[in-house]
């Protein structure tokens, strides 16, 4: 049996969260998928329950809980058959607002972080650019000092929550020809003059809004600078480990959800006067799926313990992100195959799970980027310990 780190309090939280999901999320995910957007009222409901402030300090409305509550949160949201909804929630709490919590001054925390935790505002993080991709050091979006404000010009792409967000934490170049030493983070209000957003039509994650953003002479107050000038790359490198860990949790939990969903189908369907679950080739395939999930979950929980200890675990989080993303693609693909022709229809949710799983090898650093990081660690002896 998998040894878990969960206390009775953790399990009570899981039960409460499951009840909330059953009542407030599951009845609506199909509609959100069809319309390509999430009803923003759900964030307010989640904020009232404290779900958007699990890791944040109490003075801003958070609960300041250990990371295992976040692990449960990521797992249970990943069982709601909508990767688009789940990633939107994870971006808000673990991939964008965390930069305000860790590096912004008190004014920004009071103004923006508290609104995220309460569910009143939706946040996004804008790093990727059309021409740069994973090459963060060479981004082209600029922020020019203009006295009491910056003038931002450029574009971003593949930005989750970018269309409906209330504000966007944006990586900008504030010092030309300085590589990673010339990047800063700015909070840009979505309704600022000169900000445009175009929704991207995607293969999966249909409920989430993914946008290409444009910045044309956008004036951003100096006080919207997160942390210190030209320190943005360091902040991003610190935040990416949490982003990759939560993405890994999502991939693995979605995989487990897909296998359980498939097993229910196999128990219902018959062929040649037998339930599908009773064919040996199918039984062995499903058993192997559960075995692979169980082994990887043990390692993933180990990574969560490192996060709980506030360890800067580049190697471990990179392994988790790589392995969980790749396993999801393979296993959910096998699950779809077991549905036969029905797996290729919208009558069963396995087709949605299959589409959503594919992006897990791309977001938060592609599998190739994870392999390059690990190559540098194992082969070149690079030490990524936080300075």
């Amino acid at each position: 049996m998998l040894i878990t780190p969960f206390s009775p309090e953790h399990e009570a939280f899981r039960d409460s969260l499951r009840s909330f999901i059953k009542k407030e999320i599951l009845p609506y995910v199909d509609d959100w998928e069809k319309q390509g957007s999430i009803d923003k009222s759900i964030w307010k409901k989640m904020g009232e329950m404290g779900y958007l402030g699990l890791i944040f300090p109490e003075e801003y409305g958070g609960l300041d809980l250990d990371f295992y509550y976040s692990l449960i949160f990521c797992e249970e949201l990943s069982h709601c058959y909508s990767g688009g909804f789940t990633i939107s929630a994870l971006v808000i709490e673990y991939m964008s607002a965390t930069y305000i919590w860790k590096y912004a001054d008190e004014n920004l925390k009071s103004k923006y972080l508290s609104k995220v935790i309460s569910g009143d505002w939706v946040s996004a993080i804008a790093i990727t650019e059309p021409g740069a991709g994973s090459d963060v050091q060479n981004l082209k979006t600029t922020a020019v000092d203009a006295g009491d404000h910056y003038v931002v010009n450029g574009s971003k792409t593949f930005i989750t929550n970018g269309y409906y967000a209330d504000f966007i934490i944006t990586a900008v170049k504030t010092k030309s020809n300085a590589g990673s030493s010339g990047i800063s983070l700015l909070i840009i209000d979505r309704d600022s003059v000169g900000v445009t957003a175009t929704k991207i039509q995607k293969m999966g994650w249909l409920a989430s809004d993914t946008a290409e953003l444009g910045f044309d002479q956008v004036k951003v107050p100096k006080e919207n600078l997160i942390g210190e000038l030209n320190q943005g790359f360091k902040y991003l490198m610190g935040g990416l480990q949490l982003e990759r860990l939560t993405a890994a949790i999502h991939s693995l939990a979605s995989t487990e959800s897909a296998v359980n969903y498939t097993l229910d189908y196999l128990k219902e369907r018959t062929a040649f006067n037998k339930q599908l679950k009773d064919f040996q080739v199918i039984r062995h395939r499903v058993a192997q799926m559960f075995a692979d999930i169980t082994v990887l979950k043990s390692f993933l929980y180990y990574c969560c313990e490192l996060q709980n200890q506030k360890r800067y675990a580049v190697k471990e989080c990179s392994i988790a992100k790589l392995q969980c993303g790749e396993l999801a693609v393979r296993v959910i693909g096998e699950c779809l195959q077991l549905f036969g022709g029905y797996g290729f229809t919208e009558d069963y949710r396995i087709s949605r799970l299959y589409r959503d799983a594919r992006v897990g090898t791309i977001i938060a650093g592609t599998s190739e980027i994870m392999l390059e990081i690990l190559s540098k660690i194992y082969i070149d002896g690079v030490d990524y310990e936080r300075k």
Side-chain angles (χ1 to χ4, degrees):
M1 176 179 291
L2 180 68
I3 299 176
T4 66
F6 305 125
S7 66
E9 290 76 16
H10 289 124
E11 295 299 350
F13 171 76
R14 189 189 294 275
D15 291 340
S16 174
L17 178 58
R18 281 179 176 174
S19 297
F20 178 88
I21 291 172
K22 183 178 180 180
K23 178 182 178 182
E24 303 291 353
I25 298 175
L26 286 178
Y28 308 106
V29 290
D30 290 345
D31 290 337
W32 296 342
E33 287 280 323
K34 291 176 183 177
Q35 67 193 27
S37 64
I38 299 163
D39 188 336
K40 293 184 77 171
S41 66
I42 188 60
W43 306 124
K44 185 63 178 176
K45 293 177 181 179
M46 292 177 70
E48 291 172 350
M49 294 295 294
Y51 295 142
L52 299 179
L54 298 177
I55 63 175
F56 298 126
E58 295 180 7
E59 56 261 39
Y60 307 108
L63 299 178
D64 198 18
L65 298 171
D66 65 56
F67 189 72
Y68 293 118
Y69 286 92
S70 292
L71 167 59
I72 293 169
F73 182 69
C74 295
E75 286 183 331
E76 294 303 320
L77 287 190
S78 299
H79 295 162
C80 70
Y81 305 108
S82 175
F85 171 75
T86 303
I87 196 60
S88 292
L90 299 188
V91 164
I92 291 171
E93 184 160 4
Y94 302 103
M95 302 180 189
S96 58
T98 48
Y99 292 102
I100 302 176
W101 166 42
K102 292 181 179 179
Y103 306 113
D105 60 29
E106 290 302 315
N107 290 330
L108 291 180
K109 289 178 182 177
S110 297
K111 180 179 180 180
Y112 290 95
L113 183 58
S114 60
K115 291 288 189 179
V116 169
I117 293 171
S118 67
D120 289 301
W121 287 356
V122 172
S123 59
I125 177 79
I127 304 172
T128 304
E129 296 185 354
S134 299
D135 190 5
V136 180
Q137 298 186 55
N138 290 314
L139 56 84
K140 305 299 182 184
T141 299
T142 60
V144 177
D145 192 325
D148 63 347
H149 64 275
Y150 296 102
V151 177
V152 178
N153 286 282
S155 61
K156 301 289 182 178
T157 194
F158 305 131
I159 309 306
T160 300
N161 297 345
Y163 196 82
Y164 294 106
D166 294 282
F167 67 91
I168 305 143
I169 298 169
T170 309
V172 296
K173 180 73 74 171
T174 44
K175 185 177 181 181
S176 61
N177 302 319
S180 62
S181 299
I183 295 172
S184 301
L185 298 182
L186 292 178
I187 295 178
I188 300 179
D189 293 323
R190 174 65 180 82
D191 60 1
S192 298
V193 176
V195 177
T196 58
T198 304
K199 292 188 73 170
I200 296 173
Q201 300 302 312
K202 310 184 299 295
M203 178 177 74
W205 279 3
L206 300 183
S208 74
D209 66 280
T210 305
E212 182 166 336
L213 302 176
F215 304 100
D216 182 13
Q217 297 293 111
V218 180
K219 294 181 178 180
V220 182
K222 282 282 186 71
E223 55 263 30
N224 280 25
L225 175 69
I226 294 179
E228 298 180 20
L229 189 67
N230 298 321
Q231 295 300 304
F233 185 80
K234 181 177 72 174
Y235 300 156
L236 290 173
M237 293 304 100
L240 280 174
Q241 307 321 312
L242 177 58
E243 183 173 343
R244 287 165 181 166
L245 179 57
T246 52
I249 297 169
H250 173 50
S251 288
L252 190 63
S254 297
T255 306
E256 187 169 31
S257 176
V259 176
N260 284 321
Y261 181 70
T262 302
L263 185 56
D264 288 340
Y265 172 80
L266 296 175
K267 291 177 179 178
E268 296 172 356
R269 293 284 294 177
T270 60
F272 305 103
N273 298 317
K274 293 172 62 176
Q275 287 185 317
L276 293 184
K277 72 176 183 64
D278 293 328
F279 287 88
Q280 187 181 65
V281 64
I282 293 177
R283 295 168 63 82
H284 289 183
R285 184 177 294 188
V286 172
Q288 185 64 58
M289 293 177 189
F290 279 116
D292 291 340
I293 290 169
T294 302
V295 170
L296 194 48
K297 185 183 287 190
S298 294
F299 178 76
L300 187 61
Y301 281 13
Y302 165 68
C303 294
C304 290
E305 173 58 26
L306 296 179
Q307 176 66 32
N308 199 46
Q309 296 175 13
K310 297 180 172 57
R311 298 274 295 276
Y312 186 60
V314 175
K315 179 177 69 176
E316 291 81 2
C317 288
S318 298
I319 292 173
K321 168 68 174 58
L322 171 69
Q323 297 297 89
C324 290
E326 294 293 336
L327 183 73
V329 172
R330 176 173 63 82
V331 169
I332 298 179
E334 292 179 0
C335 287
L336 186 144
Q337 185 71 18
L338 294 177
F339 279 77
Y342 290 112
F344 201 63
T345 72
E346 293 298 310
D347 294 336
Y348 290 88
R349 285 171 167 170
I350 192 64
S351 60
R352 182 191 304 168
L353 293 170
Y354 177 78
R355 293 194 305 268
D356 288 351
R358 188 61 185 84
V359 75
T361 65
I362 299 172
I363 62 163
T366 64
S367 292
E368 290 74 18
I369 291 293
M370 297 304 98
L371 287 168
E372 182 58 25
I373 291 171
L374 294 171
S375 296
K376 290 179 178 179
I377 293 172
Y378 289 120
I379 299 172
D380 301 331
V382 173
D383 184 0
Y384 284 99
E385 182 178 355
R386 181 158 36 198
K387 305 301 182 185

